[in-house]
Amino acid sequence: MDVTIRKRSPYRMLATDPMEDVFENQTESMHVVVSLGFISRFPRYNLPSLAKDLFWTIVGLLAEKDDRGQYVHLNRHGEIAVTQDRLAGMLGVRRPTVNVAIGHLMARNFLWKTGRGKYQLHPLLLYFGSAARQDEAIGYAKAHFKDKALPVVPEPGAVIAHEITEDGVADLRA
């Protein structure tokens, strides 16, 4: 797969195919489609506060536009392009700290990595675009998994993994 770097001053958008991937038609109405169930459960997830802050920082980046009114970080499939260095700068932490926080979000299937500096937000939890575009994003995301199904988002407190500690085995909870 070829990756094209499309320069947009002062930002860069990574896209697999700039003609197909990014929002080219800025006249269509854009909406934030959010699962209210997810938003009401989000505070109860066993996440470090930085991971929660990172999630909302990423959500905030979805609406960022350049000086021509084009979306900077978002493509039509619900993927965002942003570097960990940029996120670290926005949060005032080091990049390895952001990497750990992204790992917490990925472990709960809120997002997953689709390429270098490119992440897919779970389109059933949150999507920025029209309802028709959300349906496209769901199909696009499903196509990238072996069983053609979206990953399940665990309920808060559910065991999502086991980790080995000095005291034995401990449950990692969502």
Side-chain angles (χ1 to χ4, degrees):
M1 175 186 309
D2 292 330
V3 175
T4 303
I5 297 178
R6 174 183 254 192
K7 293 190 178 195
R8 290 188 176 158
S9 181
Y11 309 103
R12 293 185 315 165
M13 172 68 182
L14 299 177
T16 53
D17 182 349
M19 297 309 291
E20 291 290 323
D21 223 25
V22 294
F23 281 108
E24 294 294 337
N25 179 6
Q26 300 297 322
T27 61
E28 78 177 66
S29 96
M30 301 292 284
H31 306 278
V32 176
V33 181
V34 181
S35 163
L36 293 178
F38 171 71
I39 294 301
S40 67
R41 290 188 313 268
F42 187 74
R44 296 194 323 258
Y45 278 98
N46 183 30
L47 286 167
S49 61
L50 181 65
K52 290 179 180 181
D53 291 346
L54 175 64
F55 180 80
W56 294 118
T57 299
I58 290 170
V59 170
L61 286 172
L62 296 178
E64 190 173 323
K65 292 184 176 184
D66 65 13
D67 55 354
R68 296 178 305 156
Q70 301 293 307
Y71 291 97
V72 175
H73 303 285
L74 179 69
N75 72 18
R76 68 188 186 118
H77 302 297
E79 292 172 306
I80 61 164
V82 62
T83 65
Q84 290 184 11
D85 287 330
R86 170 101 193 270
L87 291 169
M90 293 175 76
L91 293 167
V93 298
R94 295 176 40 237
R95 191 192 58 75
T97 306
V98 167
N99 190 32
V100 170
I102 287 173
H104 284 287
L105 299 175
M106 290 174 61
R108 288 149 183 89
N109 295 325
F110 298 165
L111 56 84
W112 50 90
K113 190 170 182 125
T114 58
R116 186 178 177 114
K118 199 170 182 182
Y119 302 91
Q120 172 81 45
L121 290 169
H122 197 302
L124 293 178
L125 300 182
L126 186 134
Y127 184 73
F128 187 75
S130 66
R133 294 282 185 152
Q134 182 185 25
D135 288 341
E136 283 181 37
I138 290 168
Y140 176 82
K142 284 180 177 180
H144 288 83
F145 291 97
K146 288 181 183 178
D147 60 0
K148 305 298 182 211
L150 292 175
V152 174
V153 176
E155 289 295 318
V159 175
I160 57 174
H162 303 286
E163 56 187 357
I164 299 174
T165 67
E166 291 178 4
D167 300 328
V169 177
D171 292 336
L172 178 61
R173 298 195 175 270

